[in-house]
Amino acid sequence: DAKTTQPNSMESNEEEPVHLPCNHSTISGTDYIHWYRQLPSQGPEYVIHGLTSNVNNRMASLAIAEDRKSSTLILHRATLRDAAVYYCILRDSGNTGKLIFGQGTTLQVKP
Amino acid sequence: DAGVIQSPRHEVTEMGQEVTLRCKPISGHNSLFWYRQTMMRGLELLIYFNNNVPIDDSGMPEDRFSAKMPNASFSTLKIQPSEPRDSAVYFCASSQNDPYGYTFGSGTRLTVV
């Protein structure tokens, strides 16, 4: 399974943008880049995914490097509710692509 | 859409007892995944099914663990006999058969004393 590398923790101030980096230098051409987050005492929650182009949705934006060896999850205005563990995961586009979670980045948001 | 439904939410059992965790995936999703989460090991994939068929059970820790998916709307994860080291939060997730996201349930917190 292709691996990802993320910082263990990051801090942000409320209402400021947050850029969460992820390195995936061994990504294959069929791997989608997925981001999930896990709020305290809850199950993981899908945030966004992409293949080659940058993606936007109501929760966040995903910026993918041209060589696809890294990506950045962007929260445009962090709120206290965004404090969570954020996971960057590569998912094979095959029919049974499974998600293998790493340790993720713990995001702390300060008021 | 009620999401992925897991039961029970909490389970406390004595060592040696049988434990059965249940999961109802989202209707129309044809992949189902069982994960276990502990502080030490994080989120571990135990087993996953596609169209009710077990595809990869390499994450199942030992023979005491078994999982079934008798139909598209129900799956169970059974531990027999249970041990204190099985204490964890067990998550079930379901997905469509494409690279879209998984939907996770709220989890079952298992405590084996």
Side-chain angles (χ1 to χ4, degrees), chain B:
Chain B
D1 181 2
V4 175
I5 301 172
Q6 291 187 246
S7 64
R9 288 297 307 274
H10 302 275
E11 177 80 34
V12 180
T13 190
E14 292 186 346
M15 182 174 62
Q17 296 298 305
E18 177 180 295
V19 177
T20 299
L21 310 181
R22 297 171 175 80
C23 176
K24 177 179 170 55
I26 290 175
S27 177
H29 284 190
N30 49 15
S31 292
L32 183 140
F33 307 81
W34 282 101
Y35 286 84
R36 176 173 70 174
Q37 186 171 34
T38 61
M39 287 293 294
M40 290 295 293
R41 301 175 68 88
L43 270 162
E44 301 174 277
L45 177 63
L46 300 178
I47 185 171
Y48 72 95
F49 297 83
N50 186 252
N51 293 323
N52 311 338
V53 176
I55 302 300
D56 184 349
D57 65 354
S58 59
M60 296 285 261
E62 45 196 276
D63 291 344
R64 298 184 297 105
F65 285 68
S66 62
K68 294 182 179 180
M69 192 165 185
N71 56 63
S73 59
F74 184 65
S75 177
T76 59
L77 178 66
K78 184 177 295 185
I79 308 172
Q80 166 63 20
S82 58
E83 296 182 4
R85 61 192 167 120
D86 302 330
S87 297
V89 181
Y90 291 80
F91 290 104
C92 175
S94 69
S95 172
Q96 298 178 54
N97 221 22
D98 55 37
Y100 290 102
Y102 290 19
T103 302
F104 281 78
S106 299
T108 294
R109 181 174 295 277
L110 173 66
T111 303
V112 183
V113 298

Side-chain angles (χ1 to χ4, degrees), chain A residues 34 36 38 91 95 98-99, chain B residues 35 37 56 97 99-100 102:
Chain A
H34 279 244
Y36 285 74
Q38 187 172 21
R91 184 181 184 188
N95 287 337
K98 57 187 180 183
L99 291 176
Chain B
Y35 286 84
Q37 186 171 34
D56 184 349
N97 221 22
Y100 290 102
Y102 290 19

